[in-house]
Amino acid sequence: QKFNRLYVTDATASTAPKEVVTGKVLNVTHFVWAPDTNMIYFTATDNVSIDWVMMYQKIYKVSADGGTPQIVCETDGKMGNIDISPNGKMLAFCGAVDISDPLPQSVFLVPLATGDPKNLTDKYEGSVVEVKWINNTTILALTVEGCYSSLKKIDLKGKMTPVYGKA
């Protein structure tokens, strides 16, 4: 089995890449740096099987200097992308509401101090495809409703405001 690993290197120097995840073998699927660059947040599974990659990813954090990863919060089912707020206090991710959800189409907000995920889009009938923080209180979401795509802003309470598109 070949696992996708997580390495860091100084791009301005000719140093060898250093594996940052120790103490656990994980198949890394996506990562983001914390704004202060001290932590790396990533999604991973402990199996390379496509079923595991689709259904059983978890969100981890690890020091940029390396170490044993820690689970950030509980997740169920499929995972989409993750992003960290500019102040480094919140994580947003696209995820499934449970193991039977066919897509990672809901937006979850996780205060990193507590690790308690909250579904911001539980009443939304469309699908959220990707999320990106635009400031400390607003998430930009690429959404799909029927056959139309649009951009929406989502505040920390889950209020959605259209930015662009028909949906």
Side-chain angles (χ1 to χ4, degrees):
Q1 290 183 329
K2 296 224 179 215
F3 286 79
N4 294 312
R5 311 234 186 218
L6 188 58
Y7 293 85
V8 295
T9 190
D10 182 346
T12 64
S14 58
T15 58
K18 173 185 161 189
E19 188 169 5
V20 294
V21 175
T22 61
K24 189 168 180 91
V25 177
L26 292 171
N27 184 46
V28 177
T29 55
H30 180 77
F31 72 94
V32 292
W33 283 87
D36 66 6
T37 70
N38 290 326
M39 297 292 281
I40 302 171
Y41 292 83
F42 63 97
T43 55
T45 66
D46 55 7
N47 189 308
V48 296
S49 155
I50 190 66
D51 292 334
W52 279 77
V53 170
M54 288 184 65
M55 301 298 293
Y56 303 110
Q57 293 184 71
K58 295 185 181 347
I59 302 172
Y60 294 90
K61 67 179 179 179
V62 67
S63 167
D65 294 328
T68 302
Q70 299 173 328
I71 293 177
V72 171
C73 65
E74 292 298 318
T75 59
D76 290 318
K78 296 175 176 76
M79 292 280 306
N81 79 302
I82 61 175
D83 198 34
I84 303 292
S85 63
N87 65 7
K89 294 182 179 182
M90 305 284 247
L91 180 141
F93 71 92
C94 290
V97 295
D98 60 41
I99 197 74
S100 64
D101 201 347
L103 298 169
Q105 57 194 347
S106 295
V107 177
F108 291 86
L109 179 67
V110 183
L112 292 173
T114 65
D116 296 324
K118 175 186 174 191
N119 186 346
L120 293 180
T121 56
D122 57 340
K123 304 285 188 234
Y124 180 57
E125 293 191 14
S127 295
V128 178
V129 178
E130 189 157 345
V131 293
K132 179 74 178 163
W133 287 92
I134 55 176
N135 60 42
N136 289 323
T137 60
T138 311
I139 300 164
L140 186 64
L142 175 60
T143 66
V144 175
E145 294 176 16
C147 61
Y148 296 103
S149 297
S150 68
L151 289 174
K152 297 183 188 291
K153 290 180 182 177
I154 306 174
D155 70 15
L156 299 180
K157 293 184 179 177
K159 180 182 175 196
M160 296 181 92
T161 307
V163 174
Y164 178 80
K166 290 186 177 188

